[in-house]
Amino acid sequence: EPEVTQTPSHQVTQMGQEVILRCVPISNHLYFYWYRQILGQKVEFLVSFYNNEISEKSEIFDDQFSVERPDGSNFTLKIRSTKLEDSAMYFCASILDRGSTDTQYFGPGTRLTVL
Amino acid sequence: KNQVEQSPQSLIILEGKNCTLQCNYTVSPFSNLRWYKQDTGRGPVSLTIMTFSENTKSNGRYTATLDADTKQSSLHITASQLSDSASYICVVSLQTGANNLFFGTGTRLTVIP
């Protein structure tokens, strides 16, 4: 069974520091996503990425956030200056194609704690 | 406004019993509806996917139904096991757009011995 992997599983950082969350999507997938889930709340869309560029982003994805696919396998989410409210689980997901029945595979998540 | 509502918010059942979780949505134009299982601290895992023309889909002890006319779906779990304890999330897809997934807040199921 193919899987999306994410590292680290838990990241603790000081407010104002930069963090990079890493993801390795499933190898033949074409669309990549970052979501976040604040404790006890629903999963929220951050950004989608296709063909080496951002397809769509939410209001949450402001100038402090950026994504990159540096080497054809990794997909990273960077938060430049973390805030307390950035503490959440961050999930990477990938999908082969945005067909009607394609399954979106989620990674196990990175728990980000901002102190 | 595109929304997905789930009920109940939480549910506790005895091991071996059945249960049904509900999902109502207002997402349009509808493409498909998915049920995910999310264990605590883990990413969601797909259980079922149903398109407009499907009204039932099974995956082992999980059976999902879809009524596209009333925009309602249910997830029925039979003969529950302790490992079924998790959050179950209903996700509805739009036909278009890169951000085309709308997530419900989930139902937290706890199965007790």
Side-chain angles (χ1 to χ4, degrees):
Chain A
E1 177 80 14
E3 60 178 15
V4 176
T5 59
Q6 289 185 243
T7 54
S9 57
H10 192 186
Q11 174 90 48
V12 181
T13 189
Q14 295 288 331
M15 189 170 59
Q17 295 296 304
E18 174 184 286
V19 294
I20 297 176
L21 310 183
R22 302 180 193 281
C23 167
V24 179
I26 294 170
S27 61
N28 62 336
H29 284 190
L30 301 177
Y31 293 83
F32 315 111
Y33 303 80
W34 282 102
Y35 295 88
R36 79 172 186 189
Q37 186 176 30
I38 295 171
L39 186 64
Q41 298 186 21
K42 70 169 76 173
V43 175
E44 300 174 288
F45 168 78
L46 291 178
V47 66
S48 61
F49 193 86
Y50 170 72
N51 202 24
N52 285 318
E53 59 182 26
I54 290 174
S55 302
E56 193 165 342
K57 58 185 180 180
S58 71
E59 298 169 347
I60 304 166
F61 194 88
D62 61 23
D63 293 343
Q64 294 299 312
F65 291 87
S66 62
V67 289
E68 200 175 39
R69 189 159 161 80
D71 56 13
S73 62
N74 290 285
F75 179 49
T76 62
L77 174 69
K78 182 192 289 186
I79 309 175
R80 290 191 183 82
S81 178
T82 50
K83 303 188 283 285
L84 294 176
E85 54 264 37
D86 293 328
S87 295
M89 281 288 283
Y90 288 80
F91 295 107
C92 172
S94 71
I95 192 167
L96 175 61
D97 196 357
R98 284 192 283 124
S100 62
T101 57
D102 284 339
T103 295
Q104 191 171 52
Y105 290 84
F106 285 80
T110 292
R111 178 171 297 285
L112 176 65
T113 302
V114 182
L115 303 176
Chain B
K1 188 178 176 181
N2 291 312
Q3 284 190 316
V4 178
E5 305 281 346
Q6 290 188 244
S7 62
Q9 212 169 26
S10 62
L11 183 61
I12 301 174
I13 61 173
L14 290 174
E15 186 180 10
K17 297 296 186 184
N18 304 335
C19 67
T20 300
L21 315 179
Q22 302 290 343
C23 174
N24 297 331
Y25 62 93
T26 58
V27 176
S28 181
F30 175 87
S31 176
N32 61 69
L33 184 146
R34 308 154 189 249
W35 282 95
Y36 284 87
K37 177 185 179 186
Q38 184 179 22
D39 292 311
T40 302
R42 305 301 303 270
V45 175
S46 180
L47 295 175
T48 63
I49 301 175
M50 288 183 293
T51 60
F52 184 88
S53 59
E54 298 173 294
N55 54 26
T56 188
K57 183 75 70 83
S58 289
N59 178 0
R61 294 180 296 101
Y62 301 102
T63 300
T65 65
L66 173 65
D67 185 334
D69 292 330
T70 61
K71 299 185 177 179
Q72 296 179 324
S73 175
S74 65
L75 180 69
H76 187 74
I77 305 174
T78 59
S80 60
Q81 300 175 358
L82 298 179
S83 59
D84 292 333
S85 295
S87 287
Y88 291 83
I89 305 173
C90 175
V91 183
V92 182
S93 293
L94 280 175
Q95 289 180 3
T96 58
N99 172 27
N100 63 343
L101 296 185
F102 291 85
F103 289 76
T105 51
T107 291
R108 178 72 205 172
L109 175 66
T110 303
V111 181
I112 58 176

